[in-house]
């Protein structure tokens, strides 16, 4: 006979089965970072210049994050992703970290993979780190990641994997702490794609996976070959007349293929339907020769490392079957620092406990299409450049500028023409096909509906009517919702709003810690390390070097 005790036992088995099911239902998180990709470089924002069918397929099937902000340059952006804090709160607010600087993202910071580890995740990083490597404890495998194939500094050549950066030149490609000499000549985007696919294939699916894939693309390489791409791919873009843009298109197209291959690998492994994919740029695009690159933020103003919208309004998407209301343009305001609490919530954690960070969870807002809890964004305060910017409600205030105003303009190419946008190419892309396998592909009608809504239209007549802004002489105020292209400086008309935003900026400034930048340490020069960028701090006692090494 069936006793009460038996049924209690069966019940408890039943509940533990549910528990296990809940455990394994934690989504795999694939976080793909494109380096230096501009607003107008992806197809889903309306550009008809460079096809990005795989990226677009995920965007239309998930959420196009159209009110999404990043920090203006690499190191601050990556620190914001990893900590959920504004760079002014970690000392990372001024420019990038150089390989020869004896610093890193402070070790007291708890990073995204460490939070996810507590939730049972297996964490891997592929590609760029850029948050410190002068001692091994600053490198990824000491900060929450199980493995790393990639590089430590801000960029490298995609074929020889060396980085030219003051004060020298050296190889920068590693597997964990070992130098990956054997990868010489293999194209970085392919190397990172293959490693990501390998991780997905061999991942033990009894645990959720966190894969942080930070590509070199589309950052420029070294000055001797700024936009490295296979010749046949470059040739396929011969319809783009600007040669640098043509090469840029090839670099981007390889990145797009990578997104397709990773999505396909998830489908092949049978885990796509329980995955969450983020695709985001780290900052705005370097256009028209900035950083020897050819990105486009059209029609937004400014470039990478400026606080104009072109520097801080980012191209991004979020894809997951866990999103309750997908296939839409998400107008929820979001900032890079929000990923940490958002992903913790998506992973079944509790972001309420993260009161010490600047990030605000967007998980419910994005999934259910509810209003975002983020009303303001501190774009940055950099007292070394002498610039700062903040958005509160619909108003954005800019104070000071980055390059003495020399990048405070609108840059092409517009990229609205070139080829006919090909919806079938999106549907037939590897990502599109992978989505079809789990019945999540967007329909032609959905794509037709979404794309124009994700396109920013600013007209030259608005520009001509606007009161232009000279940040060398004045603070400027824009109604960013009505005037996303920053044509019309309203500072003179709304002095009370200017005063209120300056006050806000001031209260953020009072919480800032000083920038952590250090002078380049001569010990870091790769010429002392067999021409490899290395964790030189591990080989010297702290203190003055010159007594230790004769340089
Ligand atoms: C990197 O470290 C992880 C964890 O210790 C290890 O599993 C992996 O094999 C290492 N990778 C390489 C290439 O050494
Ligand atoms: C996967 O992990 C589970 C739980 O840790 C373990 O029991 C199993 O043996 C692992 N499978 C493989 C193929 O390693
Ligand atoms: C916004 O914050 C409030 C107060 O913390 C909370 O109750 C609400 O659920 C949040 N909304 C969303 C969409 O997360
Ligand atoms: C801006 O101009 C000042 C004075 O001419 C100069 O010292 C400084 O180096 C310039 N800064 C930049 C970033 O160009
Ligand atoms: C931009 O213009 C296109 C073409 O006129 C239109 O379909 C689309 O709705 C506009 N986008 C927005 C966001 O207003
Ligand atoms: C922030 O505070 C510092 C020192 O307290 C001051 O020198 C700087 O000008 C302030 N910056 C801004 C943007 O208010």
């Amino acid at each position: 006979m069936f006793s009460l005790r038996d049924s209690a036992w069966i019940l408890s088995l039943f509940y533990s089965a549910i528990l296990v099911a809940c455990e394994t239902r934690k989504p795999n998180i694939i976080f793909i970072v494109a380096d230096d990709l501009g607003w107008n470089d992806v197809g889903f924002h309306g550009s008809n210049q460079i096809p990005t069918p795989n990226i677009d397929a995920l965007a239309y099937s998930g959420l196009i994050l159209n009110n999404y902000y990043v920090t203006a340059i690499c190191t601050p952006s990556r620190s914001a992703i990893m900590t959920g804090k504004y760079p002014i709160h970690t000392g990372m607010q001024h420019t990038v970290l150089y390989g020869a600087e004896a610093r890193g993202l402070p070790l007291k910071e708890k990073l995204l993979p460490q939070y996810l580890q507590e939730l049972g995740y297996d964490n891997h990083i592929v590609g760029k780190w850029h948050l410190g490597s002068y001692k091994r404890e600053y490198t990824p495998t000491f900060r929450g990641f199980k493995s790393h194939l990639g590089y430590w500094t801000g960029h490298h050549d995609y074929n020889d994997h060396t980085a030219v950066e003051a004060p020298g030149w050296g190889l920068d490609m590693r597997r964990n702490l070992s130098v990956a000499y054997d990868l010489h000549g293999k194209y970085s985007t392919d190397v990172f794609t293959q490693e990501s696919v390998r991780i997905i294939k061999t991942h033990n699916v009894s645990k959720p996976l966190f894969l942080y894939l930070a590509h070199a693309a589309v950052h420029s390489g070294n000055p001797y070959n700024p936009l490295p791409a296979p010749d046949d791919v470059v040739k396929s873009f011969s319809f783009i007349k600007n040669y640098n843009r043509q090469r840029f298109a090839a670099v981007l197209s390889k990145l797009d293929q990578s997104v397709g291959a990773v999505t396909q690998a998830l489908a092949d492994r049978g885990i796509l339907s329980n995955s969450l994919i983020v695709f985001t740029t780290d900052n705005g695009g370097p256009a028209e020769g900035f950083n020897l690159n050819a990105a486009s933020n059209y029609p937004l103003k400014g470039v990478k490392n400026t606080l104009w919208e072109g520097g801080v309004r980012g191209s991004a998407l979020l894809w997951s079957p866990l999103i309750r209301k997908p296939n839409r343009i998400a107008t929820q305001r979001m900032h890079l620092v929000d990923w940490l609490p958002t992903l913790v919530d998506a992973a079944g954690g509790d972001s309420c406990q993260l009161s010490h960070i600047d990030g605000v969870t967007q998980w419910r807002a994005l999934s259910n299409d509810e209003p975002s809890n983020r009303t303001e964004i501190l774009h940055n305060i950099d007292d070394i450049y002498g610039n700062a910017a903040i958005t509160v409600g619909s108003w954005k205030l800019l104070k000071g500028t980055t390059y003495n105003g020399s990048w405070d303009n609108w840059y092409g190419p517009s990229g609205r023409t070139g080829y006919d946008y090909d919806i079938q190419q999106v549907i037939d892309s590897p990502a599109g096909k992978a989505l079809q396998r789990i019945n999540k592909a967007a329909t032609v009608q959905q794509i037709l509906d979404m794309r124009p809504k994700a396109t920013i239209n600013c007209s030259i007549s608005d520009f001509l009517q606007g009161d232009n802004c000279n940040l060398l002489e004045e603070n400027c105020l824009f109604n960013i919702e009505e005037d996303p292209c920053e044509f019309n400086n309203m500072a003179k008309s709304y002095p009370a709003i200017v005063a209120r935003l300056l006050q806000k900026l001031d209260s953020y400034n009072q919480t800032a810690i000083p920038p952590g930048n250090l002078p380049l340490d001569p010990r870091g020069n790769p010429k002392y390390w067999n021409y490899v960028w290395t964790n030189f701090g591990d080989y010297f006692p702290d203190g003055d070097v010159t007594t230790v090494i004769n340089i």
Side-chain angles (χ1 to χ4, degrees), residues 90-124:
T90 55
M92 308 304 277
Q93 63 270 54
H94 179 63
T95 192
V96 297
L97 199 153
Y98 292 97
E101 269 182 277
R103 66 158 178 147
L105 181 60
L107 295 174
K108 65 171 191 286
E109 298 299 337
K110 183 170 170 180
L111 307 190
L112 176 58
Q114 295 171 314
Y115 287 101
L116 293 176
Q117 197 167 32
E118 289 174 358
L119 294 168
Y121 278 74
D122 239 5
N123 306 316
H124 299 270

Side-chain angles (χ1 to χ4, degrees), residues 278-346:
V278 175
F279 176 85
T280 176
T281 189
D282 62 339
N283 44 247
E288 289 188 10
F290 186 102
N291 274 177
L292 302 177
N293 213 326
S296 169
N297 306 307
Y298 180 90
L300 303 177
K301 187 176 185 177
V303 293
K304 168 183 177 180
N305 208 19
T306 70
L307 300 179
W308 299 107
E309 294 291 279
V312 297
R313 192 166 175 182
S315 284
L317 68 90
L318 173 64
W319 178 88
S320 178
L322 302 178
I323 295 169
R324 289 224 181 99
K325 295 193 176 163
N327 308 107
R328 63 184 176 84
I329 313 296
T331 55
Q332 282 77 8
R333 178 174 286 169
M334 178 170 184
H335 187 264
L336 210 48
V337 292
D338 297 338
W339 283 120
L340 190 146
T342 301
L343 295 177
V344 163
D345 280 347

Side-chain angles (χ1 to χ4, degrees), residues 170-198:
L171 181 58
D172 193 2
M173 187 67 123
R174 302 239 170 198
R175 286 191 183 85
N176 299 348
L177 289 176
S178 314
V179 183
Y181 291 104
D182 61 303
L183 294 173
H184 181 90
K186 301 208 164 93
Y187 192 67
S188 289
T189 306
D190 292 335
V191 169
F192 299 150
T193 305
Q194 283 153 16
E195 172 69 357
S196 301
V197 169
R198 186 193 67 77

Side-chain angles (χ1 to χ4, degrees), residues 452-453 455 457:
K453 289 193 200 136
T455 304
N457 305 309

Side-chain angles (χ1 to χ4, degrees), residues 346-359:
D350 182 6
S351 68
C352 294
Q353 288 163 10
L354 305 173
S355 53
H356 58 293
I357 62 171
D358 297 301

Side-chain angles (χ1 to χ4, degrees), residues 21-252:
C22 285
E23 276 306 299
T24 53
R25 241 189 287 129
K26 280 188 174 141
N28 304 292
I29 299 173
I30 316 300
F31 198 103
I32 305 174
V33 184
D35 199 341
D36 286 359
L37 190 66
W39 178 266
N40 194 47
D41 292 328
V42 289
F44 66 77
H45 278 155
S47 173
N48 279 4
Q49 193 170 43
I50 305 170
T52 53
N54 291 285
I55 297 168
D56 293 10
L58 289 174
Y60 300 127
S61 164
L63 303 176
I64 294 179
L65 304 178
N66 238 38
N67 193 0
Y68 171 75
Y69 286 82
V70 291
T71 26
I73 189 168
C74 299
T75 297
S77 292
R78 286 148 210 270
S79 73
I81 294 170
M82 286 295 156
T83 62
K85 293 183 183 178
Y86 285 136
I88 59 159
H89 292 145
T90 55
M92 308 304 277
Q93 63 270 54
H94 179 63
T95 192
V96 297
L97 199 153
Y98 292 97
E101 269 182 277
R103 66 158 178 147
L105 181 60
L107 295 174
K108 65 171 191 286
E109 298 299 337
K110 183 170 170 180
L111 307 190
L112 176 58
Q114 295 171 314
Y115 287 101
L116 293 176
Q117 197 167 32
E118 289 174 358
L119 294 168
Y121 278 74
D122 239 5
N123 306 316
H124 299 270
I125 169 174
V126 177
K128 169 166 158 176
W129 176 235
H130 212 189
L131 289 172
S133 51
Y134 98 99
K135 288 186 170 178
R136 61 173 69 87
E137 67 221 65
Y138 287 92
T139 64
T141 49
F142 290 76
R143 305 207 74 176
F145 290 103
K146 255 180 130 172
S147 74
H148 180 210
L149 171 58
Y151 57 108
W152 287 346
T153 67
H155 79 289
H156 70 187
D157 180 81
Y158 293 38
N159 297 300
D160 67 32
H161 310 141
T162 66
V164 176
E165 174 185 300
W169 167 84
L171 181 58
D172 193 2
M173 187 67 123
R174 302 239 170 198
R175 286 191 183 85
N176 299 348
L177 289 176
S178 314
V179 183
Y181 291 104
D182 61 303
L183 294 173
H184 181 90
K186 301 208 164 93
Y187 192 67
S188 289
T189 306
D190 292 335
V191 169
F192 299 150
T193 305
Q194 283 153 16
E195 172 69 357
S196 301
V197 169
R198 186 193 67 77
I199 288 171
I200 291 166
K201 269 191 180 154
T202 56
H203 172 67
N204 184 335
V205 294
S206 70
K207 281 181 109 186
L209 168 70
F210 173 49
L211 172 62
Y212 176 79
L213 167 55
H215 270 289
V218 292
H219 198 294
S220 52
N222 293 323
Y224 54 80
N225 184 13
L227 291 164
D231 289 335
D232 56 330
V233 186
V234 176
K235 191 156 177 283
S236 71
F237 289 102
S238 56
F239 64 87
I240 299 175
K241 294 302 164 215
N242 177 313
Y243 183 63
N244 291 332
R245 184 72 176 162
Q246 192 183 114
R247 298 198 68 91
F248 176 94
V251 176
L252 172 53

Side-chain angles (χ1 to χ4, degrees), residues 385 402-404 406:
Y385 286 143
T402 324
Y403 299 98
N404 289 335
S406 54

